Amino acid sequence: MANYPQLDDCSGIWTLKEVNDAVMGGYWRVAGSRGLTAGGGTPSAVNTIDYVTIASAGDAIDFGDLAMGTPLGVSGAAASFTRCMWGGGQINGTRVNNIDYVTIMTTGNAADFGDLSLARTQTASASNSTRGVFQGGKDETPGDINVTTDYVTMATLGNATDFGDLTVAKAQGAGVTSPTRMIHGGGGLASGKTNVLEYITIAATGNYTDFGDLIAATADLSGFDSSTRGVFGGGYTPTIIGTLQYIEIASTGNTIDYGDLSVARR
């Protein structure tokens, strides 16, 4: 059998016949069509999982419920082509280390995946098609902010493993990723906020390396990405902002203005 290029490893040359054979045989990988969101506050905490079909517009549809309870909206999320998971959070004022997961193309309640190395909330997270990484956050220690990064192999149930450390302890940052790199941006420190971007190579383990800077020191921002670009949006500096800014993940450097959200938000 030919070694068919995959969406997360697009090297090589293949013929249309090879593509057809792989599609008809069911072993040509196809990216998922759903986006999932879970938990949050209304302001009371909820455990609902909703989904949308990304290619079309419309309201979210009920998927099921989280297994861990009713976490306030401060869990980290990661996904592969088949699974989506949420790690950490806060239940009734207590930080938790639970990891819940679902199979994206089915519906139903989440199941237990394993545990993070420590209970934490306000952690940043991101993933490629094989590993999910949970970065920093607030834990239950007196220092509150943590530097630890955990990872899981999403195809295999079990507890998270230590990956390395952020350059400084922080929470409320955001993660973006390509198939090979993950970049952590911004966040809240014990002494304020940071504009630092730092990165890891996902297939390896180790501590983070400086990538560049955000336009301003920002916490409580969000991140999203393609396989080449990462975009950071919103947050507070301490005013709530609507800025969108992007990086080219394969290089290093500061973010570049992308545009604005429809309204400033964190």
Side-chain angles (χ1 to χ4, degrees), residues 112-138:
D112 181 60
F113 184 94
D115 294 327
L116 298 173
S117 64
L118 71 163
R120 60 175 121 179
T121 186
Q122 298 180 5
T123 181
S125 57
S127 53
N128 64 4
S129 62
T130 56
R131 280 185 173 180
V133 183
F134 300 87
Q135 310 156 71
K138 291 189 174 184

Side-chain angles (χ1 to χ4, degrees), residues 21-194:
D21 290 345
V23 171
M24 297 305 293
Y27 46 87
W28 183 268
R29 186 179 294 174
V30 178
S33 57
R34 285 182 173 177
L36 276 64
T37 184
T42 62
S44 58
V46 297
N47 67 346
T48 307
I49 305 170
D50 286 350
Y51 77 95
V52 295
T53 301
I54 298 172
S56 60
D59 296 341
I61 300 169
D62 182 64
F63 186 99
D65 294 328
L66 292 169
M68 67 175 73
T70 54
L72 198 62
V74 284
S75 302
S80 67
F81 287 104
T82 56
R83 285 180 170 174
C84 183
M85 61 189 62
W86 296 269
Q90 184 171 303
I91 299 176
N92 298 324
T94 300
R95 289 157 194 169
V96 297
N97 66 349
N98 307 56
I99 305 172
D100 283 3
Y101 82 98
V102 296
T103 300
I104 297 171
M105 294 313 294
T106 64
T107 57
N109 296 336
D112 181 60
F113 184 94
D115 294 327
L116 298 173
S117 64
L118 71 163
R120 60 175 121 179
T121 186
Q122 298 180 5
T123 181
S125 57
S127 53
N128 64 4
S129 62
T130 56
R131 280 185 173 180
V133 183
F134 300 87
Q135 310 156 71
K138 291 189 174 184
D139 59 34
E140 297 286 2
T141 65
D144 207 26
I145 311 293
N146 199 277
V147 301
T148 305
T149 294
D150 289 348
Y151 79 94
V152 294
T153 301
M154 289 180 286
T156 306
L157 302 184
N159 295 336
T161 303
D162 181 64
F163 189 100
D165 292 333
L166 296 163
T167 57
V168 64
K170 52 188 168 180
Q172 298 176 304
V176 298
T177 185
S178 71
T180 55
R181 275 185 173 181
M182 182 174 297
I183 292 90
H184 182 284
L189 313 176
S191 58
K193 301 171 187 65
T194 180

